[in-house]
Amino acid sequence: MLNKRIVVLGAGVSGLTTATLLLQQEKAIKVHIVAKHFPGDLSGEYTSPWAGAHWRSHAAKDEIREQEFDRETYNYFWKIANTPYSGVMIIDEFEYWEKLPQDFSDPWFKTLCHEYRNLRKEELPVGVEFGITYKSISINPSTYLNYLFNTFTSLGGTTQRANLSHLNECIESDTDIVVNCSGIHARTLGGVEDSDVFPARGQTVIAQLPQSYMNWAFFKREANGESTYAIPRDNGEVTLGGTYEVDNYSTDVDYDTAAAIIHRCLATRPDLLPKDQPHLIIKMHGVGLRPCRKGGVRVETEWTTSEKFGKKILICHNYGHGGSGYESSYGTAQSALKIMKEILQS
Ligand code: FAD
């Protein structure tokens, strides 16, 4: 990709990871990020700051492509864990099932995750039939987004704040490639308008615990289909969740839902609350829209012609990560780089 000028649309975890990898792995290219939202912004239209976030693969047994994205990302986070200012740390993950499904079989990542094992009966919380544990990764979203942003700019990457109505608006006379990391907006963005993209609203409560109090996360599947989880961050915050509401675009906080989340979390793991602390200290409430897509994440290239500049432009899409944007971020960005190189070489 020598001497190419690349514009990345989007500064969420997908755009920042792809833009940073481009500069780290390719020689003599220029990368420019254009986005409405950047790290530090808190908006319902910008999903990345609202994530938990931890690595807990959603890839099913037959989803080999998704497994590879998640595998690469697990290994990457494992390597950079505890790097200063990254917000990435290794944790003990506990997955609980209130009722063990009859068709349960071990997840694909049994052979990937360090120290994977089934939980013993005496290790299960009250009301839980079955559980597993393994070493996983927690990512503090705002710290990690800033870490990516700072790495990107220190490598010479440039940025511009703009709200675009069409993908073509990224293209300047010297643009060769556009990477589309527009998240949920891929549904409405001109030139993309992907009707397979839909939101899954997620509401959370962010509480403050003493720093280093918690180095474990849990994710519980309730018998009624709901999920309850708690994910620690390196600064002592813990994200309590959650909801998964398909096609719900509301970014308003529902305080009854928040109360129910807190209740479910404390009922599952009363030790979330330090012994000398009578109640949780709530820092904020969160609502984010997971950028889901029928058929899964789109990592794909296509050519377009810029009428304005009379030239062909390569478009590389990397959007539609749903609830897996962090845990697949490195793998999907690597895949985007690979397919861009392949098409340019051919
Ligand atoms: P976004 O973060 O939304 O970024 C999109 C970017 O594109 C923004 O910069 C935006 O400004 C820009 N943009 C879009 N359209 C335009 C336009 N027209 N003009 C200019 N700029 C534009 N994932 C995990 O892996 N692990 C978890 O534990 C986890 N937990 C989650 C919990 C919750 C409650 C939620 C809501 C999500 C969770 N996720 C988790 C999912 C994860 O947050 C998302 O998959 C990820 O953040 C998507 O990132 P993105 O960069 O694709 O999109």
Side-chain angles (χ1 to χ4, degrees):
M1 284 201 253
L2 207 64
N3 295 325
K4 295 284 182 238
R5 189 179 189 278
I6 302 170
V7 177
V8 176
L9 171 60
V13 67
S14 311
L16 289 170
T17 308
T18 314
T20 305
L21 274 188
L22 275 164
L23 284 179
Q24 282 172 335
Q25 296 184 5
E26 296 298 312
K27 300 259 177 309
I29 57 166
K30 286 191 175 151
V31 184
H32 184 63
I33 297 180
V34 178
K36 182 175 176 188
H37 304 98
F38 279 91
D41 295 343
L42 283 182
S43 156
E45 289 181 26
Y46 181 33
T47 309
S48 292
W50 301 113
H54 62 162
W55 189 100
R56 193 192 63 82
S57 178
H58 293 82
K61 278 239 148 76
D62 56 347
E63 291 176 335
I64 305 300
R65 182 187 74 134
E66 280 73 11
Q67 289 177 18
E68 280 315 306
F69 292 153
D70 292 356
R71 180 193 307 280
E72 256 194 281
T73 311
Y74 181 87
N75 290 331
Y76 161 74
F77 279 137
W78 189 265
K79 239 187 275 166
I80 69 155
N82 303 327
T83 301
Y85 309 113
S86 67
V88 177
M89 67 174 187
I90 293 172
I91 53 167
D92 289 313
E93 181 85 26
F94 296 94
E95 286 197 41
Y96 302 135
W97 283 260
E98 185 177 3
K99 287 260 165 290
L100 182 65
Q102 288 196 330
D103 58 352
F104 178 83
S105 63
D106 291 332
W108 71 268
F109 53 82
K110 180 177 180 176
T111 50
L112 168 71
C113 293
H114 300 263
E115 299 181 32
Y116 180 103
R117 67 177 175 84
N118 291 353
L119 289 168
R120 294 183 293 276
K121 267 223 150 62
E122 64 274 20
E123 293 176 296
L124 299 175
V126 176
V128 168
E129 253 184 35
F130 180 73
I132 57 175
T133 182
Y134 49 90
K135 291 285 180 194
S136 189
I137 309 289
S138 140
I139 304 124
N140 183 330
S142 16
T143 310
Y144 185 59
L145 292 173
N146 275 312
Y147 170 78
L148 287 173
F149 182 86
N150 293 335
T151 309
F152 172 74
T153 51
S154 70
L155 291 167
T158 53
T159 62
Q160 178 189 352
R161 199 181 278 269
N163 185 15
L164 312 182
S165 54
H166 197 287
L167 201 57
N168 278 349
E169 292 167 27
C170 295
I171 300 171
E172 297 292 341
S173 57
D174 57 353
T175 305
D176 300 299
I177 302 172
V178 172
V179 186
N180 169 26
C181 300
S182 53
I184 190 73
H185 303 278
R187 187 180 172 88
T188 49
L189 178 67
V192 185
E193 290 160 313
D194 185 342
S195 57
D196 285 337
V197 173
F198 62 93
R201 178 183 182 276
Q203 184 170 331
T204 57
V205 177
I206 294 142
Q208 181 69 56
L209 294 170
Q211 198 158 4
S212 310
Y213 172 73
M214 203 174 154
N215 64 350
W216 50 269
F218 81 83
F219 186 95
K220 179 184 173 202
R221 292 168 185 79
E222 309 284 352
N224 65 4
E226 283 183 320
S227 301
T228 304
Y229 59 83
I231 307 167
R233 293 177 177 170
D234 62 343
N235 60 355
E237 288 175 357
V238 56
T239 307
L240 308 178
T243 67
Y244 191 94
E245 300 158 70
V246 170
D247 284 335
N248 185 345
Y249 280 93
S250 169
T251 54
D252 295 338
V253 174
D254 180 311
Y255 291 98
D256 291 340
T257 301
I261 288 172
I262 295 170
H263 176 79
R264 295 205 309 270
C265 283
L266 288 175
T268 307
R269 289 291 300 252
D271 56 336
L272 258 174
L273 205 54
K275 281 203 168 63
D276 55 352
Q277 203 179 298
H279 51 77
L280 277 178
I281 300 164
I282 309 297
K283 264 189 113 168
M284 68 190 297
H285 296 268
V287 179
L289 304 178
R290 298 175 183 89
C292 301
R293 182 171 181 270
K294 284 175 209 149
V297 59
R298 184 177 182 200
V299 185
E300 217 171 81
T301 53
E302 61 177 331
W303 289 98
T304 189
T305 303
S306 163
E307 303 292 338
K308 191 171 168 191
F309 300 111
K311 62 190 267 200
K312 278 174 83 183
I313 308 284
L314 180 64
I315 308 288
C316 180
H317 299 284
N318 184 12
Y319 66 82
H321 297 72
S324 307
Y326 283 84
E327 69 201 19
S328 67
S329 55
Y330 187 82
T332 49
Q334 283 285 20
S335 177
L337 254 70
K338 185 165 171 268
I339 60 171
M340 277 188 260
K341 278 202 265 193
E342 278 169 4
I343 195 146
L344 289 173
Q345 277 159 12
S346 70

